[in-house]
Amino acid sequence: MGSYMSSKKTLEINPDNVIMCELRKRAEADKSDKTVKDLVLLLFETSLLTSGFSLDEPHSFGGRIHRMVKLGLSIDDSLDLDEDDGDLPPLEEDLGGEQSRMEEVD
């Protein structure tokens, strides 16, 4: 039904960009490098967001962001950090039948 209304997505890549050159070198060195795959997907999804599109899987985007932050901070994934969510407010879906703040804006 809404397929005629969706915009065609085109990603233009500058092959001479230093980021692209480094990603190409790392991908050629190790085709199964998960970090390279995460970085490429982050670049693509970030370009979608900045162009006004929405993500199909925002949860996986957030997971990639967290992995890249851990990598940048040299935090070992094998360390099981107890993340205490006790001080966080409840999720909107846990609030019962109340209307979310985003729906109020729309």
Side-chain angles (χ1 to χ4, degrees):
M1 173 176 152
S3 63
Y4 65 91
M5 294 180 63
S6 66
S7 299
K8 182 179 178 184
K9 298 174 183 98
T10 303
L11 177 64
E12 294 181 13
I13 297 174
N14 177 0
D16 298 326
N17 182 285
V18 292
I19 295 172
M20 292 293 117
C21 291
E22 186 63 28
L23 284 173
R24 185 182 322 114
K25 281 193 289 189
R26 290 183 184 210
E28 289 171 353
D30 183 7
K31 300 223 183 275
S32 63
D33 187 355
K34 187 173 182 179
T35 303
V36 173
K37 181 179 179 182
D38 278 346
L39 288 170
V40 169
L41 287 171
L42 279 175
L43 284 172
F44 174 70
E45 290 173 337
T46 303
S47 67
L48 283 176
L49 290 174
T50 57
S51 298
F53 293 98
S54 60
L55 299 177
D56 293 334
E57 298 178 22
H59 183 72
S60 63
F61 176 74
R64 275 192 280 283
I65 292 286
H66 287 131
R67 282 194 299 274
M68 292 297 107
V69 170
K70 284 181 180 180
L71 181 67
L73 296 174
S74 301
I75 297 174
D76 189 7
D77 278 336
S78 64
L79 295 176
D80 189 23
L81 301 175
D82 290 331
E83 296 178 8
D84 185 16
D85 293 341
D87 61 339
L88 296 177
L91 296 174
E92 288 181 351
E93 57 197 34
D94 294 339
L95 294 176
E98 294 182 26
Q99 186 179 17
S100 75
R101 303 248 348 157
M102 287 302 291
E103 290 173 348
E104 291 173 13
V105 174
D106 291 339

